[in-house]
Amino acid sequence: MITSIAWKNVWRNKSRSLVVIIAVTLGTVAGVFVAGMLNGWVAQRINDVIFTELGHVKIQNPDYLVNEQASHYIANISELEQYLKHSKDVVAYAKRSKIMAMASTARGNSGIMLKGIDIENEKNVSGVYKQLLPGSGSYFEENSRLPLVLISSKTAEQLRLKNYRISNHTTDSLSMLNVPQETISKLTPIKDERFITRKKFESAIKGLWSDSEIRSYGPHLMNTAAYFQPNAKITFSFTKANGQIGYLTCRVSGVFKTSNNLFDQTSAFVNHTDLINAAGLQPDQFHEISVILNPSVKDIDPFIKSSSNQFKNLSFLSWKVLAPDAGLMADFIQVYYYLIMGIIFFALAFGIINTMLMAILERVKELGMLMAIGMKRKQVFSMIMLETIFLTLCGSMVGMVLGGLLIKITEHTGLNFSSVAEGFESVGWAATVYPAIDLSFFFGIIILVVIVAVLSSIIPARKALKLKPIEALRTE
Amino acid sequence: MKVIEINKLNKIYNESEVKVHAVNNVTFDIEEGEFTAIVGPSGSGKTTLLNMIGGLDIPTSGEVMVGGSLMSSLKGADLTDFRLHNIGFVFQAYNLIPVLSAKENTEFVMRLQGKSKKVCDARTKELLKAVGLGERMNARPAKLSGGQQQRVAVARALASKPKFVLADEPTANLDSKSTETLLDIMEKLNREENITFIFSTHDARVVKKARRVITLEDGKILSDVRKNGGE
């Protein structure tokens, strides 16, 4: 009876209740969608960290962590490999030799970590091979007399291997995007001209296009006009294992681009054999092993602990330690969601309290009558609390459905933040986010809504409980 | 059998430095099945007296015993519970719950008493039929006339099977036809089911129907007349 009357009371003043319900709906939609975006970002970042950059666990010589010298390689690697091969927790692992090098071309140079990999086995651990830019080459499939190297788009830019040119392909692509012909024709004076830096190309475009044209079509133009010099040569110089200076000249096999600029700027991949030959390393001298664990392993720490106990002379570090930003997000993402929702509901609570206070003040006489005929104070309290819960729950339910739908719509298309891509990618976050949310989050919201509603009902309910039936009945 | 015993009842209001003796040393009893009107001009203390009998107001001194229970010994939830099970209220302004139908308003008190839906349904139908609203059970108060609303209020007051019904100026907002109908219904329930009714009123038509009339003036009993006999 109390439940039924509370529900009916919610709809006593439809317009007032609807205002609160709409406010709660909008707040919930915003909260759910922002949480979905954050979740998408974090999931993407964690996925990139594990399956592109680090693996679940990285094994190294502890001395290499202090000083990245070629001589600080993993000792007794065969024993370690036997252990990894027989561990039920391990799905795949990849060995890498690493040497800090200076990459140079005729036009530029850049410091880089040259990673010697087993080309095929590396695919089991890192998804870099899937992130090659279209038209930039292949994953070590070129026929070349020189060793092949895989570099990032960022490195290519620093080494001036990424050039810009308005070609027929560029203008066709702009036409397909429905860019006005007049705008496209403005590019004619620089057609087929090669620009060796992005800056120079941008400055040429600024002289031809208006600000609004640059804002609307600039990002697409930059992408379609960019191209990588085919078969470009890069010379790497580094300190060999014996302390002498070594050189390795490679031909660019392909150009990759991940969502982490820092990883891109510092990573180049060559065949392990090519690197050890040039650096004077032995075939069994590796500086790190990246391990991918079985998806059933939810907690990495026991694996690290048992492995560390077995190989006391090696350092086993989880991705959470190596990428603390992503680790922190993974550990506290739930807290962030509920913090966002909590802040939204905290603000909404004031509106809810106000509405309920108005509802109580309008019904003073009725509440007096209810108490006079035998409704106990705790029943009055329950009725008002239930009214508040229903009011809040109505809005949040609709909000969760709409927020969920919005996430469902955008989870495949993604949300493109290309205008601020540079900023996102500089800290390792993807510029295109695919919102996603876990069903358990909705259960969490329902609990949060009930808590907020109960807390919001305290002030109005106390107001009602303070009424004396005799005085309330006299109210006009 | 005495349903209500009132002994030397006083109520003094101390508002704005002026003491108002609303009820002044009132003593009387109400027997089971009586149909009593408490009359008097405005400010004579009718409503205050009714409120103290109903446990809504606290006497300054004196005693109100209902069914052998001393009202002043009951506090808080016990007092509310006592009202729920022993007293039926009919208010001047009907005071029905606007979001509930006539049926739901009537059964509300029984639901508070924890009675089953089956029992509530049967009693509600019986009562609404008795007050002539068997066909309007699902109508909300806004769809009923003033007289019909007050009849629902009477049905609600009787639903809990109280020891007596207190009606504070029940006909004050009704036209003469509705007043007549309501009084006939209450009189019938009184005669046929021996329900004790106590009204406060200054409506001559109610006084005419009452079998006992207690007249108050300045908080004191001026007269107590039983129409079938002695004073």
Side-chain angles (χ1 to χ4, degrees), chain A residues 211-352:
Chain A
D211 287 347
S212 67
E213 284 170 327
I214 290 173
R215 264 197 308 278
S216 305
Y217 316 117
H220 185 73
L221 176 67
M222 297 306 290
N223 284 339
T224 50
Y227 73 101
F228 298 96
Q229 277 185 39
N231 303 317
K233 270 197 284 187
I234 304 173
T235 300
F236 297 94
S237 53
F238 43 80
T239 306
K240 291 166 60 170
N242 60 10
Q244 290 179 342
I245 300 294
Y247 299 94
L248 177 65
T249 300
C250 302
R251 198 174 286 286
V252 176
S253 167
V255 179
F256 65 88
K257 185 178 187 308
T258 72
S259 57
N260 188 348
N261 276 352
L262 193 66
F263 174 80
D264 286 4
Q265 272 172 3
T266 55
S267 303
F269 298 89
V270 292
N271 191 328
H272 175 247
T273 319
D274 295 333
L275 186 64
I276 61 167
N277 288 342
L281 290 164
Q282 296 302 309
D284 62 347
Q285 290 178 343
F286 292 90
H287 298 101
E288 72 175 28
I289 294 181
S290 273
V291 181
I292 296 292
L293 296 178
N294 201 308
S296 63
V297 179
K298 298 293 174 210
D299 186 6
I300 300 172
D301 290 344
F303 173 79
I304 288 184
K305 205 171 172 188
S306 67
S307 305
S308 298
N309 283 339
Q310 204 154 339
F311 299 92
K312 288 192 168 37
N313 59 335
L314 293 177
S315 151
F316 291 77
L317 295 175
S318 82
W319 64 271
K320 285 187 181 179
V321 176
L322 295 163
D325 61 319
L328 197 72
M329 290 301 274
D331 288 341
F332 292 101
I333 190 71
Q334 296 279 341
V335 178
Y336 289 133
Y337 299 158
Y338 292 118
L339 201 64
I340 292 167
M341 292 309 297
I343 290 167
I344 290 171
F345 279 118
F346 179 73
L348 288 171
F350 290 94
I352 297 165

Side-chain angles (χ1 to χ4, degrees), chain B:
Chain B
M1 195 178 82
K2 285 174 186 168
V3 180
I4 303 165
E5 295 164 72
I6 294 166
N7 188 22
K8 293 180 183 169
L9 197 66
N10 283 284
K11 179 70 186 180
I12 302 167
Y13 291 111
N14 284 311
E15 282 171 12
S16 61
E17 296 176 1
V18 182
K19 280 190 178 180
V20 178
H21 217 133
V23 173
N24 193 348
N25 209 29
V26 167
T27 299
F28 68 92
D29 300 332
I30 301 280
E31 295 285 335
E32 188 180 3
E34 280 196 321
F35 200 65
T36 308
I38 297 172
V39 299
S42 288
S44 59
K46 305 185 295 291
T47 302
T48 307
L49 179 60
L50 241 58
N51 285 339
M52 287 191 288
I53 296 171
L56 297 173
D57 210 350
I58 302 160
T60 308
S61 66
E63 289 175 351
V64 178
M65 303 269 283
V66 172
S69 299
L70 184 64
M71 293 291 276
S72 57
S73 68
L74 299 167
K75 299 271 183 288
D78 290 338
L79 182 59
T80 309
D81 208 45
F82 186 83
R83 283 199 300 265
L84 177 65
H85 289 94
N86 296 284
I87 309 171
F89 288 92
V90 177
F91 303 97
Q92 181 182 330
Y94 330 132
N95 286 13
L96 297 177
I97 304 166
V99 292
L100 301 184
S101 66
K103 180 178 174 289
E104 290 165 331
N105 263 292
T106 307
E107 70 179 19
F108 185 74
V109 181
M110 285 188 282
R111 299 304 292 268
L112 288 179
Q113 285 178 321
K115 288 190 175 139
S116 70
K117 197 169 176 345
K118 200 176 161 188
V119 171
C120 291
D121 272 354
R123 177 101 176 123
T124 305
K125 277 178 192 163
E126 177 194 322
L127 284 167
L128 286 175
K129 229 178 220 176
V131 297
L133 290 170
E135 305 298 312
R136 307 292 324 263
M137 281 201 285
N138 295 318
R140 285 199 178 184
K143 300 280 177 193
L144 298 172
S145 69
Q148 287 173 325
Q149 286 189 54
Q150 197 61 302
R151 280 189 266 157
V152 176
V154 169
R156 179 180 66 187
L158 294 172
S160 61
K161 294 195 173 167
K163 286 194 169 72
F164 61 91
V165 173
L166 288 176
D168 185 14
E169 310 247 11
T171 58
N173 291 347
L174 303 182
D175 57 42
S176 55
K177 196 180 170 205
S178 300
T179 300
E180 200 64 37
T181 313
L182 185 75
L183 287 171
D184 286 347
I185 287 165
M186 290 200 288
E187 196 184 21
K188 189 172 166 238
L189 287 164
N190 170 259
R191 279 189 200 285
E192 291 177 3
E193 297 188 25
N194 204 32
I195 292 163
T196 310
F197 279 93
I198 305 156
F199 311 95
S200 77
T201 187
H202 43 230
D203 186 333
R205 291 164 300 188
V206 181
V207 178
K208 199 177 151 194
K209 290 268 183 191
R211 290 201 300 282
R212 182 181 175 189
V213 179
I214 297 171
T215 310
L216 288 183
E217 197 174 277
D218 296 332
K220 290 179 185 167
I221 295 180
L222 204 65
S223 64
D224 185 353
V225 180
R226 282 189 172 84
K227 287 183 181 171
N228 55 352
E231 199 161 314

